[in-house]
Amino acid sequence: MTTPKIVFIGAGSVVFTQGLLADLLAFDELKSARIALHDIDAERLATAHAAAVRIADTLGARPAVTAHADRREALADADFVINIVQIGMGEATRTDFEIPARYGVRQTIGDTLGIGGIFRALRTFPFLKELGRDIAEVCPQAWLLNYTNPMAMNVQYLTQATTLTRVVGLCHSVYWTMRDLADLVKVPYEEISYHAAGVNHQAWVLRFEHQGKSLYPKLDELIAADEQLRRRVRVDMYRRLGYYPTETSEHSSEYVPWYLHHTSEVERLRLPIGEYLKIVDENVAAYEKSRDALAAGAPITVEGTMEYAPQIIHSMVTGTPRVVYGNVPNRGLIDNLPAHGVVEVPCLVDSLGVQPTRVGSLPPQLAALNRTYLSANDLVVQAAIKNEPRHIRHAAMTDPATAATLTVEEIWRLCDDMVAAHGDRLQPGLRGRLEP
């Protein structure tokens, strides 16, 4: 694999594509890789192509960069497929926030669990089924590296509804959590050792050490001395559960019933309701800035992002061993989580591929929360696989934050409204209103 072919599906997510390309082309062994970009938006695809050429030139790389409106053409002979598609873009995201808000449901990010996560998954599944079919037919040996949220639902769907087996979901939350914790306790990141596991956006730091000694006591001292630290959801969860969660407070608040439903907790913990809508606007502005700079021949930012996909590709191409955190089916990896679920665990990567490591059992209080999360996930996946619209409502009824806020009748009506709003983005058997 001296000149691997790397395909970006949804390359029009230009800012994210730029960061991944900067990471990839910084490796000497990947400077001549074949990069195929695919998007259904012609302007965004052209912008992504121009950015790739500019980044390569800046880094002294000479990849073969091609742009494709046709997905199967892009996938031909691929070794790696990076999926960064967002179905419905900002318009669908606003729907995910605005309709639940009318019912009193508060969301911060809305891309993983809850009403936002459920419907983001349901409108993504038809695309994933087509993508899985294309990969199976055009490049069956390729590794699919998925960044599209909701991560755990999407990876579970891919592994149950398609024939693909080389699938891993990638998220930077564990890495950046540990960078932040290292900074907080004032120990260089390169000197800490850590072990985390759980589910995407709700994994747990099981070990956090420096020179063989736990750093948790030092973290406890800092929290006890700093009232502002105690005004973070993830710190509040850590104090009560005993293990630090690997996702931001905004994300973490959405997967439990304790915070968003209570105005006093929203204020105490400074939760930014609707935060993701601001991020959507910022992403559009960043895209437009890159597009205009490229058109004018002006410089663009070329910065690495420390994402896992480039590291995985480099390790598989060169045989360099690395440990990354991946989202994979729970086939005996975490004993006290369901086998059908997708878990986030350390994975060894080398020329043999991505090899998840067994964790054993999580502390029971952590497994209990993860099981609730995975139960909602499974209902969403089963709604699509079995073409059973009632399971959409069952998933919302199981979701902790939604169930803490609404009656079952309100949950049913909310799901009806969301199904109607997303319309033909959903598979036909899941459309329409439904009587209890």
Side-chain angles (χ1 to χ4, degrees):
M1 209 189 297
T2 55
T3 55
K5 183 173 181 181
I6 305 161
V7 181
F8 286 72
I9 303 295
S13 301
V14 172
V15 176
F16 198 48
T17 298
Q18 287 179 198
L20 289 171
L21 285 169
D23 285 341
L24 281 166
L25 299 178
F27 289 115
D28 288 340
E29 297 90 344
L30 300 178
K31 288 186 183 295
S32 60
R34 294 171 291 158
I35 307 293
L37 308 173
H38 165 70
D39 204 279
I40 60 173
D41 185 310
E43 180 194 277
R44 282 181 170 266
L45 180 58
T47 302
H49 184 267
V53 171
R54 182 76 60 80
I55 290 167
D57 185 61
T58 301
L59 295 176
R62 294 293 179 266
V65 181
T66 56
H68 307 265
D70 183 275
R71 184 172 64 222
R72 289 172 71 91
E73 179 183 88
L75 289 169
D77 301 319
D79 297 299
F80 302 97
V81 180
I82 300 176
N83 178 40
I84 48 179
V85 164
Q86 182 182 350
I87 302 298
M89 299 292 285
E91 174 194 353
T93 299
R94 291 191 184 281
T95 296
D96 288 344
F97 277 85
E98 290 172 356
I99 293 178
R102 295 176 202 158
Y103 283 80
V105 174
R106 292 166 169 162
Q107 298 178 98
T108 52
I109 307 298
D111 70 352
T112 300
L113 210 59
I115 296 298
I118 289 169
F119 281 89
R120 181 179 281 234
L122 291 171
R123 65 177 182 266
T124 304
F125 289 167
F127 158 77
L128 293 179
K129 191 166 191 177
E130 293 178 359
L131 178 63
R133 178 201 63 209
D134 287 351
I135 292 174
E137 293 177 2
V138 175
C139 52
Q141 298 305 308
W143 279 85
L144 175 56
L145 308 178
N146 179 69
Y147 277 103
T148 295
N149 283 320
M151 181 65 67
M153 291 190 212
N154 286 342
V155 173
Q156 182 179 344
Y157 181 83
L158 280 163
T159 55
Q160 293 184 4
T162 78
T163 61
L164 301 186
T165 57
R166 294 184 167 190
V167 179
V168 59
L170 303 176
C171 175
H172 51 220
S173 62
V174 172
Y175 171 78
W176 286 111
T177 291
M178 300 318 301
R179 296 284 316 199
D180 290 346
L181 282 177
D183 288 345
L184 192 60
V185 299
K186 293 182 171 52
V187 175
Y189 171 77
E190 293 72 20
E191 295 183 15
I192 68 169
S193 300
Y194 60 89
H195 187 224
V199 295
N200 183 237
H201 290 175
Q202 198 187 62
W204 316 94
V205 181
L206 303 176
R207 296 177 66 182
F208 175 36
E209 299 176 359
H210 180 237
Q211 297 178 347
K213 294 181 62 176
S214 175
L215 287 167
Y216 267 141
K218 190 169 186 178
L219 179 62
D220 293 339
E221 292 174 8
L222 292 169
I223 291 171
D226 189 338
E227 181 185 359
Q228 296 308 307
L229 271 180
R230 297 194 296 275
R231 295 185 65 195
R232 297 182 186 177
V233 163
R234 66 198 310 190
V235 171
D236 194 73
M237 291 177 67
Y238 162 61
R239 293 174 68 204
R240 299 173 194 281
L241 297 169
Y243 296 87
Y244 201 79
T246 64
E247 193 44 78
T248 63
S249 292
E250 292 85 354
H251 273 288
S252 295
S253 68
E254 294 188 300
Y255 318 139
V256 293
W258 313 315
Y259 302 115
L260 288 172
H261 179 56
H262 305 283
T263 299
S264 59
E265 290 294 85
V266 170
E267 294 172 353
R268 177 176 76 91
L269 299 167
R270 302 170 292 186
L271 286 169
I273 306 303
E275 176 71 8
Y276 194 70
L277 294 178
K278 298 176 185 176
I279 295 172
V280 168
D281 291 338
E282 291 168 359
N283 287 342
V284 170
Y287 161 72
E288 292 174 347
K289 181 178 179 181
S290 289
R291 178 199 62 196
D292 295 345
L294 288 162
I300 61 169
T301 301
V302 182
E303 292 182 354
T305 57
M306 298 301 293
E307 288 289 349
Y308 285 139
Q311 298 178 53
I312 288 173
I313 293 170
H314 182 261
S315 286
M316 290 183 63
V317 169
T318 66
T320 304
R322 282 186 176 86
V323 173
V324 304
Y325 278 79
N327 292 273
V328 294
N330 183 29
R331 295 172 180 145
L333 300 173
I334 300 181
D335 293 335
N336 50 354
L337 294 184
H340 64 254
V342 167
V343 295
E344 190 165 62
V345 296
C347 300
L348 169 67
V349 191
D350 57 19
S351 60
L352 299 178
V354 179
Q355 304 157 63
T357 62
R358 187 175 182 278
V359 172
S361 292
L362 294 177
Q365 70 275 24
L366 309 183
L369 291 175
N370 285 171
R371 282 196 295 268
T372 301
Y373 172 117
L374 291 176
S375 293
N377 281 5
D378 191 49
L379 285 163
V380 179
V381 172
Q382 295 309 313
I385 290 177
K386 296 179 179 178
N387 218 28
E388 174 50 84
R390 295 178 73 87
H391 284 338
I392 301 174
R393 284 78 179 169
H394 298 155
M397 291 164 64
T398 303
D399 172 64
T402 306
T405 306
L406 303 181
T407 66
V408 287
E409 178 60 28
E410 290 169 331
I411 290 172
W412 213 269
R413 292 203 311 269
L414 170 55
C415 289
D416 282 348
D417 288 350
M418 291 290 286
V419 166
H422 284 298
D424 59 8
R425 290 194 181 102
L426 309 182
Q427 65 193 56
L430 299 181
R431 300 172 193 169
R433 294 186 177 274
L434 192 66
E435 291 297 322

